[in-house]
Amino acid sequence: MEQRILNFERKLAQSDLDGFLVTDLLNIYYLTGFSGTEATVFISKNRRLFLTDARYVLAAQNTVSGFEIIESRRPLAEIAEIVKADRLVRLGFDHQVTFAYYQKLQTYFAGIDLVALADFTEELRLVKDPKEIAAIRMACRITDQAFADVLDFIKPGVTTEWDLANFLDFRMRKYGASGLSFTTIAASGCRSAMPHGTATEKVIQNGEMLTLDFGCYYNHYVSDMTRTVHIGPATDEEGEIYDTVLRANQALIRTAKAGLSYRDFDSIPREVIEQAGFGQDFTHGIGHGIGLDVHELPYFSGTDGILRAGMVVTDEPGIYLDNKYGVRIEDDLLITEDGCEVLTESPKELLILS
Ligand SMILES: [Mn+2]
């Protein structure tokens, strides 16, 4: 934690800001280790303040070090007094705050420059340390185990998408997950053409594609994996679409490494799908970072940037044929100096279930 705060303070010193108000709870967890639901952190050249209410003071005293811990139900009023006493004039704050919260900031910090910043702490979270990687690795292992179990559970004509989602959710918890990283997607038949078709009461039928996109939290870090399987024998077209998506996924695994540009990370797998004639049916970005959040930096399409060792990103090409079916395959990749490690290990050859 101390190293993270030092990195934050170095970035603050290099900026034109006198202080920063951290209000995003994931950023607060990253910087302090506190995982309650109410806290405000203020960092300036000579202050490290952690403010929370009576419910969490004990937890903060036990987990947060290197900060002055202040119990308060009016954190902004407390910070505003200190800002005034220290004669600070320009403060950054996490841009995700609500408009109502921003209005409160304007009231408490009248006369002070308030600068909303999108990614101040998030950029520090881009490269994961070994402890973070270990947690993501475990979340991926749990996800793999749940997928292995679900294959025997699918009974065409009987099992609903809800049944599948509930089964996956329960198994992930059974294997040690503390929660789901997002609402589990189980989309069968023509519903699989919706990239984010959350589960419904629909029964899984013979002859259908079935897309499962799911993940979990382990020790605050997430996994995010997609597998598409087929119920009964697949048609030639279905086999070709599946093969194209798989080749795109694998082309990226072969080339992803530190130093690759974000634009190439997106375009290398996209070209595989375009060359097969399905470019217009790959309707979303190739992937995103994962960590404390299931969608976090980096994002790839139309963004300048270079992959760095220690980033954990998804590789999730897809082809979606409206009113027919869709295929997506998603892995979580740990970027290394000379390549990448695939953290999600579930099988990827087209599984034919019956
Ligand atoms: Mn994803």
Side-chain angles (χ1 to χ4, degrees):
M1 290 299 163
E2 183 60 22
Q3 189 54 51
R4 294 180 188 176
I5 302 161
L6 291 173
N7 291 342
F8 184 101
E9 287 173 338
R10 186 178 320 123
K11 188 170 175 180
L12 189 62
Q14 289 164 353
S15 75
D16 60 356
L17 303 169
D18 300 323
F20 201 103
L21 207 53
V22 188
T23 56
D24 177 79
L25 288 170
L26 295 181
N27 287 338
I28 288 175
Y29 175 78
Y30 182 77
L31 293 169
T32 69
F34 175 83
S35 59
T37 59
E38 208 290 314
T40 311
V41 163
F42 179 76
I43 298 175
S44 68
K45 197 173 175 189
N46 50 5
R47 306 270 190 187
R48 289 179 184 177
L49 309 179
F50 183 99
L51 300 92
T52 189
D53 66 39
R55 294 171 300 163
Y56 288 121
V57 164
L58 210 59
Q61 283 164 350
N62 288 333
T63 51
V64 179
S65 62
F67 282 79
E68 183 184 341
I69 295 170
I70 300 170
E71 177 188 332
S72 174
R73 294 181 64 184
R74 300 175 65 241
L76 293 181
E78 308 260 4
I79 295 167
E81 269 182 38
I82 288 162
V83 164
K84 210 171 287 172
D86 289 353
R87 298 174 187 278
L88 307 183
V89 297
R90 195 170 161 81
L91 302 183
F93 66 97
D94 283 329
H95 79 138
Q96 303 94 331
V97 299
T98 63
F99 186 70
Y101 190 91
Y102 176 61
Q103 288 180 310
K104 258 196 330 193
L105 289 181
Q106 286 182 310
T107 305
Y108 282 112
F109 297 97
I112 286 168
D113 284 345
L114 293 168
V115 186
L117 287 167
D119 297 319
F120 196 88
T121 307
E122 287 82 347
E123 281 168 4
L124 302 174
R125 285 163 44 188
L126 270 166
V127 171
K128 273 66 182 176
D129 67 30
K131 264 183 79 175
E132 295 180 287
I133 291 167
I136 297 171
R137 196 185 288 283
M138 189 62 194
C140 290
R141 182 172 307 162
I142 291 168
T143 305
D144 282 335
Q145 286 175 301
F147 180 72
D149 289 355
V150 83
L151 297 176
D152 287 336
F153 177 76
I154 299 169
K155 299 278 178 286
V158 177
T159 317
T160 65
E161 294 173 350
W162 276 343
D163 294 332
L164 291 176
N166 288 336
F167 182 92
L168 287 169
D169 296 355
F170 185 79
R171 284 295 159 121
M172 288 192 287
R173 285 186 182 275
K174 180 183 158 178
Y175 291 130
S178 60
L180 310 173
S181 42
F182 55 92
T183 303
T184 295
I185 291 169
S188 60
C190 62
R191 297 193 69 256
S192 62
M194 289 187 287
H196 277 187
T198 48
T200 68
E201 72 277 27
K202 182 186 168 302
V203 174
I204 312 302
Q205 301 292 353
N206 226 339
E208 288 183 336
M209 284 285 189
L210 168 64
T211 298
L212 300 170
D213 184 352
F214 59 106
C216 67
Y217 277 94
Y218 182 81
N219 194 17
H220 300 277
Y221 286 82
V222 305
S223 59
D224 182 7
M225 180 175 83
T226 308
R227 289 294 182 268
T228 302
V229 300
H230 198 271
I231 315 299
T235 65
D236 288 350
E237 184 204 60
E238 287 170 332
E240 187 201 329
I241 299 270
Y242 189 91
D243 180 63
T244 304
V245 174
L246 181 57
R247 284 191 293 113
N249 166 275
Q250 289 171 328
L252 188 54
I253 290 170
R254 279 197 303 275
T255 44
K257 64 175 195 170
L260 185 73
S261 74
Y262 289 177
R263 282 172 202 279
D264 287 346
F265 188 88
D266 185 86
S267 67
I268 287 165
R270 196 172 293 281
E271 275 165 19
V272 172
I273 291 176
E274 282 168 358
Q275 277 164 17
F278 298 105
Q280 73 283 2
D281 303 309
F282 178 16
T283 48
H284 54 73
I286 185 61
H288 51 88
I290 61 168
L292 290 172
D293 208 347
V294 71
H295 296 106
E296 62 177 45
L297 296 179
Y299 297 102
F300 301 102
S301 38
T303 318
D304 286 316
I306 301 287
L307 287 178
R308 287 149 70 190
M311 287 182 173
V312 183
V313 299
T314 68
D315 166 12
E316 49 180 310
I319 295 177
Y320 309 95
L321 305 181
D322 278 355
N323 301 314
K324 288 176 81 179
Y325 59 90
V327 172
R328 179 170 63 260
I329 299 170
E330 175 181 28
D331 286 313
D332 299 340
L333 312 183
L334 168 62
I335 304 302
T336 62
E337 288 299 344
D338 50 6
C340 70
E341 183 187 341
V342 185
L343 302 179
T344 40
E345 296 181 332
S346 295
K348 287 192 285 192
E349 74 274 14
L350 179 54
L351 295 176
I352 305 294
L353 306 179
S354 55

